[in-house]
mmCIF file of all heavy atoms in Angstrom:
data_model
loop_
_atom_site.group_PDB
_atom_site.id
_atom_site.type_symbol
_atom_site.label_atom_id
_atom_site.label_comp_id
_atom_site.label_asym_id
_atom_site.label_seq_id
_atom_site.Cartn_x
_atom_site.Cartn_y
_atom_site.Cartn_z
ATOM 1 N N GLU Y 1 12.106 -0.476 -22.061
ATOM 2 C CA GLU Y 1 11.245 -1.623 -21.771
ATOM 3 C C GLU Y 1 9.896 -1.479 -22.515
ATOM 4 O O GLU Y 1 9.391 -2.538 -22.970
ATOM 5 C CB GLU Y 1 11.040 -1.787 -20.173
ATOM 6 C CG GLU Y 1 12.367 -2.194 -19.507
ATOM 7 C CD GLU Y 1 12.126 -2.101 -18.001
ATOM 8 O OE1 GLU Y 1 11.095 -1.681 -17.560
ATOM 9 O OE2 GLU Y 1 13.092 -2.330 -17.352
ATOM 10 N N GLN Y 2 9.362 -0.283 -22.428
ATOM 11 C CA GLN Y 2 7.981 -0.121 -23.216
ATOM 12 C C GLN Y 2 8.142 -0.384 -24.621
ATOM 13 O O GLN Y 2 7.251 -0.987 -25.279
ATOM 14 C CB GLN Y 2 7.464 1.327 -22.939
ATOM 15 C CG GLN Y 2 7.119 1.553 -21.541
ATOM 16 C CD GLN Y 2 6.798 3.059 -21.198
ATOM 17 O OE1 GLN Y 2 6.930 3.873 -22.152
ATOM 18 N NE2 GLN Y 2 6.423 3.359 -20.031
ATOM 19 N N GLU Y 3 9.204 0.108 -25.250
ATOM 20 C CA GLU Y 3 9.389 -0.207 -26.683
ATOM 21 C C GLU Y 3 9.576 -1.594 -26.988
ATOM 22 O O GLU Y 3 9.033 -2.153 -28.005
ATOM 23 C CB GLU Y 3 10.552 0.660 -27.202
ATOM 24 C CG GLU Y 3 10.346 2.151 -27.292
ATOM 25 C CD GLU Y 3 11.519 2.880 -27.823
ATOM 26 O OE1 GLU Y 3 12.602 2.318 -28.060
ATOM 27 O OE2 GLU Y 3 11.370 4.208 -27.984
ATOM 28 N N ALA Y 4 10.310 -2.258 -26.198
ATOM 29 C CA ALA Y 4 10.570 -3.757 -26.325
ATOM 30 C C ALA Y 4 9.184 -4.489 -26.166
ATOM 31 O O ALA Y 4 8.964 -5.436 -26.859
ATOM 32 C CB ALA Y 4 11.580 -4.272 -25.379
ATOM 33 N N ALA Y 5 8.333 -4.089 -25.267
ATOM 34 C CA ALA Y 5 7.096 -4.700 -25.068
ATOM 35 C C ALA Y 5 6.221 -4.463 -26.241
ATOM 36 O O ALA Y 5 5.347 -5.331 -26.616
ATOM 37 C CB ALA Y 5 6.481 -4.265 -23.753
ATOM 38 N N ALA Y 6 6.315 -3.368 -26.856
ATOM 39 C CA ALA Y 6 5.426 -2.997 -28.046
ATOM 40 C C ALA Y 6 6.026 -3.576 -29.248
ATOM 41 O O ALA Y 6 5.405 -3.511 -30.379
ATOM 42 C CB ALA Y 6 5.307 -1.525 -28.145
ATOM 43 N N GLY Y 7 7.176 -4.177 -29.242
ATOM 44 C CA GLY Y 7 7.764 -4.874 -30.453
ATOM 45 C C GLY Y 7 8.586 -3.903 -31.260
ATOM 46 O O GLY Y 7 8.802 -4.202 -32.477
ATOM 47 N N VAL Y 8 8.970 -2.723 -30.797
ATOM 48 C CA VAL Y 8 9.755 -1.758 -31.603
ATOM 49 C C VAL Y 8 11.092 -2.240 -31.596
ATOM 50 O O VAL Y 8 11.817 -2.608 -30.766
ATOM 51 C CB VAL Y 8 9.665 -0.372 -30.842
ATOM 52 C CG1 VAL Y 8 10.576 0.575 -31.712
ATOM 53 C CG2 VAL Y 8 8.253 0.122 -30.876
ATOM 54 N N GLU Y 9 11.597 -2.412 -32.951
ATOM 55 C CA GLU Y 9 12.920 -2.872 -33.179
ATOM 56 C C GLU Y 9 13.960 -1.759 -32.878
ATOM 57 O O GLU Y 9 13.803 -0.620 -33.302
ATOM 58 C CB GLU Y 9 13.122 -3.387 -34.677
ATOM 59 C CG GLU Y 9 12.489 -4.644 -34.958
ATOM 60 C CD GLU Y 9 13.209 -5.808 -34.339
ATOM 61 O OE1 GLU Y 9 14.459 -5.798 -34.324
ATOM 62 O OE2 GLU Y 9 12.507 -6.779 -33.904
ATOM 63 N N GLN Y 10 14.982 -2.100 -32.143
ATOM 64 C CA GLN Y 10 16.083 -1.172 -31.862
ATOM 65 C C GLN Y 10 17.152 -1.395 -32.964
ATOM 66 O O GLN Y 10 17.554 -2.476 -33.232
ATOM 67 C CB GLN Y 10 16.687 -1.385 -30.440
ATOM 68 C CG GLN Y 10 15.750 -1.142 -29.349
ATOM 69 C CD GLN Y 10 15.383 0.316 -29.221
ATOM 70 O OE1 GLN Y 10 16.152 1.150 -29.533
ATOM 71 N NE2 GLN Y 10 14.123 0.564 -28.882
ATOM 72 N N PRO Y 11 17.575 -0.295 -33.552
ATOM 73 C CA PRO Y 11 18.618 -0.518 -34.547
ATOM 74 C C PRO Y 11 19.900 -0.908 -33.929
ATOM 75 O O PRO Y 11 20.197 -0.565 -32.801
ATOM 76 C CB PRO Y 11 18.786 0.940 -35.153
ATOM 77 C CG PRO Y 11 18.274 1.841 -34.134
ATOM 78 C CD PRO Y 11 17.261 1.110 -33.427
ATOM 79 N N ALA Y 12 20.631 -1.799 -34.635
ATOM 80 C CA ALA Y 12 21.963 -2.287 -34.128
ATOM 81 C C ALA Y 12 22.972 -1.066 -34.076
ATOM 82 O O ALA Y 12 22.959 -0.245 -34.918
ATOM 83 C CB ALA Y 12 22.511 -3.372 -35.011
ATOM 84 N N PRO Y 13 23.702 -1.026 -32.955
ATOM 85 C CA PRO Y 13 24.711 -0.002 -32.879
ATOM 86 C C PRO Y 13 25.712 -0.037 -34.025
ATOM 87 O O PRO Y 13 26.152 -1.149 -34.439
ATOM 88 C CB PRO Y 13 25.451 -0.208 -31.502
ATOM 89 C CG PRO Y 13 25.067 -1.657 -31.188
ATOM 90 C CD PRO Y 13 23.810 -2.022 -31.895
ATOM 91 N N ALA Y 14 26.070 1.097 -34.555
ATOM 92 C CA ALA Y 14 26.994 1.148 -35.710
ATOM 93 C C ALA Y 14 28.392 0.854 -35.179
ATOM 94 O O ALA Y 14 28.762 1.373 -34.201
ATOM 95 C CB ALA Y 14 26.943 2.516 -36.357
ATOM 96 N N LEU Y 15 29.131 0.073 -35.872
ATOM 97 C CA LEU Y 15 30.491 -0.340 -35.511
ATOM 98 C C LEU Y 15 31.314 0.928 -35.966
ATOM 99 O O LEU Y 15 31.188 1.444 -37.071
ATOM 100 C CB LEU Y 15 30.922 -1.593 -36.157
ATOM 101 C CG LEU Y 15 30.148 -2.836 -35.677
ATOM 102 C CD1 LEU Y 15 30.633 -4.106 -36.501
ATOM 103 C CD2 LEU Y 15 30.422 -3.052 -34.179
ATOM 104 N N PRO Y 16 32.415 1.189 -35.300
ATOM 105 C CA PRO Y 16 33.249 2.170 -35.750
ATOM 106 C C PRO Y 16 34.042 1.775 -36.989
ATOM 107 O O PRO Y 16 34.322 0.492 -37.125
ATOM 108 C CB PRO Y 16 34.252 2.455 -34.558
ATOM 109 C CG PRO Y 16 34.187 1.169 -33.731
ATOM 110 C CD PRO Y 16 32.803 0.641 -33.922
ATOM 111 N N PRO Y 17 34.316 2.634 -37.916
ATOM 112 C CA PRO Y 17 34.985 2.210 -39.040
ATOM 113 C C PRO Y 17 36.437 1.806 -38.704
ATOM 114 O O PRO Y 17 37.030 2.198 -37.798
ATOM 115 C CB PRO Y 17 35.060 3.496 -39.927
ATOM 116 C CG PRO Y 17 34.967 4.666 -38.941
ATOM 117 C CD PRO Y 17 34.138 4.124 -37.796
ATOM 118 N N GLU Y 18 36.916 0.804 -39.592
ATOM 119 C CA GLU Y 18 38.319 0.371 -39.405
ATOM 120 C C GLU Y 18 39.282 1.478 -39.619
ATOM 121 O O GLU Y 18 39.138 2.190 -40.592
ATOM 122 C CB GLU Y 18 38.497 -0.794 -40.380
ATOM 123 C CG GLU Y 18 37.843 -2.122 -40.065
ATOM 124 C CD GLU Y 18 38.338 -2.753 -38.728
ATOM 125 O OE1 GLU Y 18 39.607 -2.770 -38.568
ATOM 126 O OE2 GLU Y 18 37.530 -3.220 -37.953
ATOM 127 N N PRO Y 19 40.286 1.602 -38.799
ATOM 128 C CA PRO Y 19 41.266 2.656 -39.008
ATOM 129 C C PRO Y 19 42.136 2.375 -40.295
ATOM 130 O O PRO Y 19 42.331 1.239 -40.731
ATOM 131 C CB PRO Y 19 42.178 2.560 -37.792
ATOM 132 C CG PRO Y 19 41.937 1.194 -37.202
ATOM 133 C CD PRO Y 19 40.566 0.790 -37.636
ATOM 134 N N VAL Y 20 42.478 3.459 -40.904
ATOM 135 C CA VAL Y 20 43.251 3.301 -42.223
ATOM 136 C C VAL Y 20 44.605 3.861 -41.867
ATOM 137 O O VAL Y 20 44.866 4.826 -41.271
ATOM 138 C CB VAL Y 20 42.618 4.250 -43.254
ATOM 139 C CG1 VAL Y 20 43.448 4.169 -44.536
ATOM 140 C CG2 VAL Y 20 41.241 3.849 -43.508
ATOM 141 N N MET Y 21 45.603 2.942 -42.371
ATOM 142 C CA MET Y 21 47.072 3.349 -42.041
ATOM 143 C C MET Y 21 47.416 4.652 -42.822
ATOM 144 O O MET Y 21 47.328 4.689 -44.033
ATOM 145 C CB MET Y 21 47.978 2.266 -42.363
ATOM 146 C CG MET Y 21 49.427 2.570 -42.025
ATOM 147 S SD MET Y 21 50.642 1.286 -42.445
ATOM 148 C CE MET Y 21 50.156 -0.119 -41.479
ATOM 149 N N PRO Y 22 48.000 5.590 -42.095
ATOM 150 C CA PRO Y 22 48.475 6.826 -42.746
ATOM 151 C C PRO Y 22 49.627 6.408 -43.720
ATOM 152 O O PRO Y 22 50.425 5.575 -43.357
ATOM 153 C CB PRO Y 22 48.926 7.721 -41.637
ATOM 154 C CG PRO Y 22 48.261 7.107 -40.358
ATOM 155 C CD PRO Y 22 48.060 5.712 -40.630
ATOM 156 N N ASP Y 23 49.792 7.147 -44.793
ATOM 157 C CA ASP Y 23 50.813 6.832 -45.756
ATOM 158 C C ASP Y 23 52.244 6.866 -45.117
ATOM 159 O O ASP Y 23 53.093 6.076 -45.419
ATOM 160 C CB ASP Y 23 50.816 7.836 -46.873
ATOM 161 C CG ASP Y 23 49.627 7.668 -47.769
ATOM 162 O OD1 ASP Y 23 49.086 6.525 -47.790
ATOM 163 O OD2 ASP Y 23 49.195 8.589 -48.498
ATOM 164 N N TYR Y 24 52.513 7.905 -44.256
ATOM 165 C CA TYR Y 24 53.867 7.912 -43.728
ATOM 166 C C TYR Y 24 54.269 6.687 -42.883
ATOM 167 O O TYR Y 24 55.452 6.394 -42.767
ATOM 168 C CB TYR Y 24 54.008 9.242 -42.901
ATOM 169 C CG TYR Y 24 53.232 9.206 -41.625
ATOM 170 C CD1 TYR Y 24 53.895 8.750 -40.426
ATOM 171 C CD2 TYR Y 24 51.945 9.668 -41.522
ATOM 172 C CE1 TYR Y 24 53.237 8.858 -39.198
ATOM 173 C CE2 TYR Y 24 51.284 9.724 -40.334
ATOM 174 C CZ TYR Y 24 51.939 9.206 -39.191
ATOM 175 O OH TYR Y 24 51.268 9.263 -37.944
ATOM 176 N N LEU Y 25 53.300 5.998 -42.308
ATOM 177 C CA LEU Y 25 53.606 4.744 -41.574
ATOM 178 C C LEU Y 25 54.081 3.637 -42.365
ATOM 179 O O LEU Y 25 54.583 2.566 -41.890
ATOM 180 C CB LEU Y 25 52.471 4.405 -40.676
ATOM 181 C CG LEU Y 25 52.214 5.322 -39.472
ATOM 182 C CD1 LEU Y 25 51.015 4.791 -38.646
ATOM 183 C CD2 LEU Y 25 53.493 5.287 -38.551
ATOM 184 N N THR Y 26 53.852 3.717 -43.784
ATOM 185 C CA THR Y 26 54.192 2.588 -44.552
ATOM 186 C C THR Y 26 55.776 2.801 -44.975
ATOM 187 O O THR Y 26 56.265 1.738 -45.451
ATOM 188 C CB THR Y 26 53.362 2.586 -45.927
ATOM 189 O OG1 THR Y 26 53.533 3.890 -46.555
ATOM 190 C CG2 THR Y 26 51.873 2.359 -45.545
ATOM 191 N N ARG Y 27 56.289 3.963 -44.737
ATOM 192 C CA ARG Y 27 57.716 4.150 -45.075
ATOM 193 C C ARG Y 27 58.604 3.724 -43.871
ATOM 194 O O ARG Y 27 58.839 4.503 -42.895
ATOM 195 C CB ARG Y 27 57.888 5.648 -45.428
ATOM 196 C CG ARG Y 27 57.147 6.075 -46.643
ATOM 197 C CD ARG Y 27 57.540 7.472 -47.042
ATOM 198 N NE ARG Y 27 57.115 8.576 -46.149
ATOM 199 C CZ ARG Y 27 56.067 9.214 -46.119
ATOM 200 N NH1 ARG Y 27 55.144 8.951 -46.993
ATOM 201 N NH2 ARG Y 27 55.791 10.161 -45.138
ATOM 202 N N THR Y 28 59.029 2.466 -43.921
ATOM 203 C CA THR Y 28 59.784 1.892 -42.871
ATOM 204 C C THR Y 28 61.220 1.562 -43.253
ATOM 205 O O THR Y 28 61.962 0.938 -42.444
ATOM 206 C CB THR Y 28 59.121 0.660 -42.233
ATOM 207 O OG1 THR Y 28 58.933 -0.284 -43.281
ATOM 208 C CG2 THR Y 28 57.812 1.014 -41.623
ATOM 209 N N ALA Y 29 61.599 1.859 -44.399
ATOM 210 C CA ALA Y 29 62.954 1.561 -44.825
ATOM 211 C C ALA Y 29 63.950 2.613 -44.238
ATOM 212 O O ALA Y 29 63.545 3.819 -44.118
ATOM 213 C CB ALA Y 29 63.084 1.560 -46.378
ATOM 214 N N PRO Y 30 65.092 2.247 -43.959
ATOM 215 C CA PRO Y 30 66.069 3.242 -43.298
ATOM 216 C C PRO Y 30 66.286 4.438 -44.254
ATOM 217 O O PRO Y 30 66.413 5.624 -43.728
ATOM 218 C CB PRO Y 30 67.352 2.372 -43.189
ATOM 219 C CG PRO Y 30 66.914 0.996 -43.003
ATOM 220 C CD PRO Y 30 65.726 0.878 -43.912
ATOM 221 N N GLN Y 31 66.351 4.229 -45.577
ATOM 222 C CA GLN Y 31 66.566 5.314 -46.512
ATOM 223 C C GLN Y 31 65.455 6.244 -46.447
ATOM 224 O O GLN Y 31 65.599 7.538 -46.507
ATOM 225 C CB GLN Y 31 66.758 4.790 -47.899
ATOM 226 C CG GLN Y 31 67.923 3.887 -48.133
ATOM 227 C CD GLN Y 31 67.625 2.434 -47.731
ATOM 228 O OE1 GLN Y 31 66.470 2.115 -47.264
ATOM 229 N NE2 GLN Y 31 68.519 1.591 -47.828
ATOM 230 N N GLU Y 32 64.089 5.734 -46.286
ATOM 231 C CA GLU Y 32 63.008 6.662 -46.283
ATOM 232 C C GLU Y 32 62.955 7.465 -45.021
ATOM 233 O O GLU Y 32 62.663 8.676 -45.018
ATOM 234 C CB GLU Y 32 61.742 5.757 -46.453
ATOM 235 C CG GLU Y 32 61.625 5.153 -47.757
ATOM 236 C CD GLU Y 32 60.417 4.126 -47.781
ATOM 237 O OE1 GLU Y 32 60.231 3.417 -46.723
ATOM 238 O OE2 GLU Y 32 59.786 4.010 -48.825
ATOM 239 N N VAL Y 33 63.253 6.862 -43.845
ATOM 240 C CA VAL Y 33 63.266 7.594 -42.586
ATOM 241 C C VAL Y 33 64.455 8.627 -42.595
ATOM 242 O O VAL Y 33 64.177 9.742 -42.131
ATOM 243 C CB VAL Y 33 63.371 6.556 -41.419
ATOM 244 C CG1 VAL Y 33 63.603 7.396 -40.058
ATOM 245 C CG2 VAL Y 33 62.204 5.687 -41.355
ATOM 246 N N ALA Y 34 65.576 8.212 -43.151
ATOM 247 C CA ALA Y 34 66.618 9.261 -43.232
ATOM 248 C C ALA Y 34 66.307 10.364 -44.143
ATOM 249 O O ALA Y 34 66.604 11.506 -43.810
ATOM 250 C CB ALA Y 34 67.938 8.513 -43.861
ATOM 251 N N ALA Y 35 65.546 10.157 -45.176
ATOM 252 C CA ALA Y 35 65.197 11.221 -46.045
ATOM 253 C C ALA Y 35 64.154 12.128 -45.334
ATOM 254 O O ALA Y 35 64.270 13.405 -45.466
ATOM 255 C CB ALA Y 35 64.531 10.670 -47.296
ATOM 256 N N GLU Y 36 63.335 11.596 -44.541
ATOM 257 C CA GLU Y 36 62.382 12.433 -43.728
ATOM 258 C C GLU Y 36 63.183 13.323 -42.693
ATOM 259 O O GLU Y 36 62.781 14.398 -42.495
ATOM 260 C CB GLU Y 36 61.363 11.575 -43.010
ATOM 261 C CG GLU Y 36 60.295 11.115 -43.907
ATOM 262 C CD GLU Y 36 59.206 10.400 -43.116
ATOM 263 O OE1 GLU Y 36 58.659 10.885 -42.149
ATOM 264 O OE2 GLU Y 36 58.890 9.214 -43.428
ATOM 265 N N LEU Y 37 64.148 12.709 -42.076
ATOM 266 C CA LEU Y 37 64.951 13.421 -40.998
ATOM 267 C C LEU Y 37 65.808 14.548 -41.699
ATOM 268 O O LEU Y 37 66.007 15.528 -41.016
ATOM 269 C CB LEU Y 37 65.788 12.518 -40.203
ATOM 270 C CG LEU Y 37 65.068 11.566 -39.240
ATOM 271 C CD1 LEU Y 37 65.953 10.496 -38.651
ATOM 272 C CD2 LEU Y 37 64.380 12.348 -38.176
ATOM 273 N N ALA Y 38 66.277 14.308 -42.929
ATOM 274 C CA ALA Y 38 67.127 15.216 -43.523
ATOM 275 C C ALA Y 38 68.305 15.677 -42.709
ATOM 276 O O ALA Y 38 68.628 16.859 -42.508
ATOM 277 C CB ALA Y 38 66.282 16.454 -43.989
ATOM 278 N N ILE Y 39 69.043 14.626 -42.276
ATOM 279 C CA ILE Y 39 70.300 14.855 -41.446
ATOM 280 C C ILE Y 39 71.346 15.334 -42.482
ATOM 281 O O ILE Y 39 71.591 14.658 -43.386
ATOM 282 C CB ILE Y 39 70.673 13.552 -40.672
ATOM 283 C CG1 ILE Y 39 69.603 13.319 -39.628
ATOM 284 C CG2 ILE Y 39 71.975 13.842 -39.965
ATOM 285 C CD1 ILE Y 39 69.756 12.023 -38.922
ATOM 286 N N SER Y 40 72.020 16.371 -42.010
ATOM 287 C CA SER Y 40 73.144 16.857 -42.951
ATOM 288 C C SER Y 40 74.325 17.140 -42.005
ATOM 289 O O SER Y 40 74.276 17.131 -40.861
ATOM 290 C CB SER Y 40 72.673 18.136 -43.624
ATOM 291 O OG SER Y 40 72.630 19.212 -42.632
ATOM 292 N N ALA Y 41 75.455 17.382 -42.735
ATOM 293 C CA ALA Y 41 76.708 17.705 -41.986
ATOM 294 C C ALA Y 41 76.638 19.072 -41.189
ATOM 295 O O ALA Y 41 77.390 19.236 -40.298
ATOM 296 C CB ALA Y 41 77.907 17.786 -43.013
#
């Protein structure tokens, strides 16, 4: 309240950065998921 009365500007709160999609989440094809699982006989 004292700072506001004195005209001191409060800095705007910083917004959190936008999340970035991890590379592995872009692999949604069945062949890509199968390769990651490495299922064998």
Side-chain angles (χ1 to χ4, degrees):
E1 289 172 4
Q2 290 172 358
E3 288 179 356
V8 176
E9 286 287 323
Q10 295 294 326
L15 296 175
E18 287 291 320
V20 177
M21 183 183 294
D23 289 336
Y24 70 91
L25 287 178
T26 60
R27 296 188 295 266
T28 57
Q31 299 83 1
E32 294 170 321
V33 174
E36 280 184 57
L37 288 171
I39 296 174
S40 69

